Amino acid sequence: QCTYLEIEQAERTHAVVLSRPAWLWGAEMGANEHGVCVGNEGVWTHEPVGEDEALLGMDLVSAREALEVITELLERYGQGGSCKEEPVPFVYHNTFLLADRTEAWVLETAGRYWAAQQIREGSRNISNQLSIGREITAEHAGLRQRARRQGWWSGDGEFSFAEVFSLPRQPARMEAAKARFRAGKELLRQHAGRITAETFMAILRDKDSGICVDSEGFRTAGSMVSVLPRDPALPCVHFFTATPDPSRSVFKPFIFVANIKPVPQVRSPTFRNDPAKQIPRFQSTVDRRHELYRRHQAALELMEKDQERGQKLLETLRDLEKQGLEGMNALLEGRVAHPPEELADLFFDCVEAEMKFY
């Protein structure tokens, strides 16, 4: 059972860690136990968005295998339905970043149609707009025929997915996305050849570029950074904020091991008569904030009222994050060997420490 519809059950499943809006089934980003990571962004294209309930991009969160699974489901079930917990539908299509230990892809969709680009070197970003041009590695079998039939492409010259399928008149938020995309690309270029987990955290916190958004309507809800060693003997380390606005959040490390300690402090409450599941949907509101989120918000209010104390708290939280990063580096460099039970408690302990500081 996905957010809006049922699909066939996979024969075999893997353990996953997901960062997701609490009201829906899927996720905005996450990873599985084999180091396959997926993140998604909304886009608007020539293909009309569908309010009819189908798969959400967040329901579709291996890199090559992930690409095949997502595109197969997309072609079979389509995408549609509101992506926001409000009575007025907010509908979009999706782009995805997919990465594992050995390869990375960008997958971009327009309705049931799609194009994918394998990223073979350097860095790559996405930001609420189509970005795959002529560098298409794989595509929907009927993609170009669809474009010609609709009059979006003459069939002459090279085919650019972004040029052909992007709207000539973009929604206002798409215009802002262009600046974000350019800024992200430039920030990555500035650090080319020496990108670290800290680099990504800094970029995700960048407010001048609009990458980090703190407005009520579209706040950056959660952030994730993953370190995926090529050596399969080393663990993948996934850092999650689990709270909004990464500029004032803590990235906390998570590693897949046996017997991981549950972390109820970052699990949103469930509701018997959930307005996201009642038909018609979203007719009432509920408070979905988990315990860490509540304390985080109270701390943000303190930061606004008392800047000196707020700055001191922020420095304390940054120290906590730094300890997690140093621990990860020591683990991956073989300087420290952590017993499995210690790693099983890692994310829980970091959340507990953060809550104590609040």
Side-chain angles (χ1 to χ4, degrees), residues 3 15 17 19-20 36 104 117 140 142 151 168 183-184 204 212 232 263 265 284 289 300 317 320 323 327 351:
T3 304
V17 57
S19 180
R20 65 186 187 91
V36 179
Q117 176 190 2
H140 184 287
L204 291 170
C212 179
V263 191
Q265 304 93 322
S284 61
R289 294 175 302 166
L300 294 191
L317 296 175
L320 176 63
Q323 287 172 32
V351 170

Side-chain angles (χ1 to χ4, degrees), residues 269-340:
T270 54
F271 302 90
R272 180 175 291 178
N273 297 313
D274 193 316
K277 294 181 172 63
Q278 305 287 311
I279 306 292
R281 301 183 199 271
F282 314 126
Q283 300 303 299
S284 61
T285 58
V286 289
D287 187 352
R288 298 191 187 275
R289 294 175 302 166
H290 52 60
E291 193 179 349
L292 179 66
Y293 186 177
R294 290 171 188 270
R295 292 207 198 178
H296 172 72
Q297 277 198 310
L300 294 191
E301 288 170 19
L302 165 74
M303 288 179 182
E304 300 292 339
K305 288 176 189 167
D306 187 336
Q307 291 200 337
E308 192 177 327
R309 282 181 72 197
Q311 186 58 35
K312 194 173 178 184
L313 174 61
L314 193 57
E315 287 169 9
T316 305
L317 296 175
R318 285 288 177 276
D319 284 342
L320 176 63
E321 183 177 282
K322 192 177 175 185
Q323 287 172 32
L325 284 161
E326 287 172 352
M328 175 205 69
N329 288 330
L331 178 69
L332 297 183
E333 289 165 12
R335 289 184 279 121
V336 177
H338 290 279

Side-chain angles (χ1 to χ4, degrees), residues 54-70:
L55 288 175
L56 296 180
M58 290 168 284
D59 292 336
L60 298 169
V61 165
S62 95
R64 181 69 201 216
E65 285 179 341
L67 179 75
E68 290 166 2
V69 168
I70 292 171

Side-chain angles (χ1 to χ4, degrees), residues 76-111:
R76 191 183 308 175
Y77 295 104
Q79 54 186 322
S82 184
C83 303
K84 206 170 183 193
E85 192 182 10
E86 289 181 356
V88 178
F90 176 62
V91 188
Y92 51 73
H93 296 152
N94 292 269
T95 73
F96 301 87
L97 283 175
L98 306 99
D100 62 23
R101 292 178 187 266
T102 58
E103 59 184 299
W105 292 79
V106 172
L107 166 64
E108 301 193 327
T109 72

Side-chain angles (χ1 to χ4, degrees), residues 98-322:
L98 306 99
D100 62 23
R101 292 178 187 266
T102 58
E103 59 184 299
W105 292 79
V106 172
L107 166 64
E108 301 193 327
T109 72
R112 292 174 188 257
Y113 298 88
W114 57 272
Q117 176 190 2
Q118 187 171 6
I119 312 306
R120 300 184 188 279
E121 61 180 3
S123 57
R124 185 69 153 77
N125 61 314
I126 58 173
S127 190
N128 299 112
Q129 62 178 25
L130 297 181
S131 61
I132 297 175
R134 295 167 177 78
E135 325 81 12
I136 298 171
T137 314
E139 64 187 74
H140 184 287
L143 182 70
R144 300 183 192 212
Q145 186 182 357
R146 170 72 172 174
R148 290 184 71 169
R149 201 165 54 237
Q150 295 297 112
W152 302 331
W153 181 53
S154 66
D156 297 328
E158 282 192 279
F159 177 85
S160 164
F161 181 66
E163 286 174 18
V164 171
F165 276 84
S166 291
L167 289 167
R169 291 187 180 179
Q170 306 280 20
R173 63 174 61 91
M174 290 284 276
E175 290 302 318
K178 288 179 183 176
R180 275 202 310 278
F181 180 75
R182 285 194 301 268
K185 197 172 182 179
E186 175 58 21
L187 288 166
L188 288 168
R189 189 197 63 78
Q190 288 172 13
H191 294 88
R194 48 191 171 83
I195 291 174
T196 63
E198 293 94 323
T199 308
F200 282 122
M201 291 173 188
I203 291 173
L204 291 170
R205 286 175 165 141
D206 193 283
K207 289 194 183 289
D208 292 341
S209 63
I211 290 169
C212 179
V213 187
D214 57 8
S215 65
E216 281 300 315
F218 279 92
R219 182 189 301 155
T220 300
S223 295
M224 170 185 170
V225 172
S226 290
V227 179
L228 312 174
R230 285 186 178 272
D231 182 351
L234 295 172
C236 295
V237 185
H238 310 284
F239 289 87
F240 291 91
T241 59
T243 51
D245 189 351
S247 74
R248 297 185 282 192
S249 295
V250 181
F251 283 92
K252 298 166 282 291
F254 175 97
I255 295 175
F256 281 99
V257 289
N259 305 313
I260 289 173
K261 193 169 188 176
V263 191
Q265 304 93 322
V266 296
R267 190 179 285 264
S268 296
T270 54
F271 302 90
R272 180 175 291 178
N273 297 313
D274 193 316
K277 294 181 172 63
Q278 305 287 311
I279 306 292
R281 301 183 199 271
F282 314 126
Q283 300 303 299
S284 61
T285 58
V286 289
D287 187 352
R288 298 191 187 275
R289 294 175 302 166
H290 52 60
E291 193 179 349
L292 179 66
Y293 186 177
R294 290 171 188 270
R295 292 207 198 178
H296 172 72
Q297 277 198 310
L300 294 191
E301 288 170 19
L302 165 74
M303 288 179 182
E304 300 292 339
K305 288 176 189 167
D306 187 336
Q307 291 200 337
E308 192 177 327
R309 282 181 72 197
Q311 186 58 35
K312 194 173 178 184
L313 174 61
L314 193 57
E315 287 169 9
T316 305
L317 296 175
R318 285 288 177 276
D319 284 342
L320 176 63
E321 183 177 282
K322 192 177 175 185

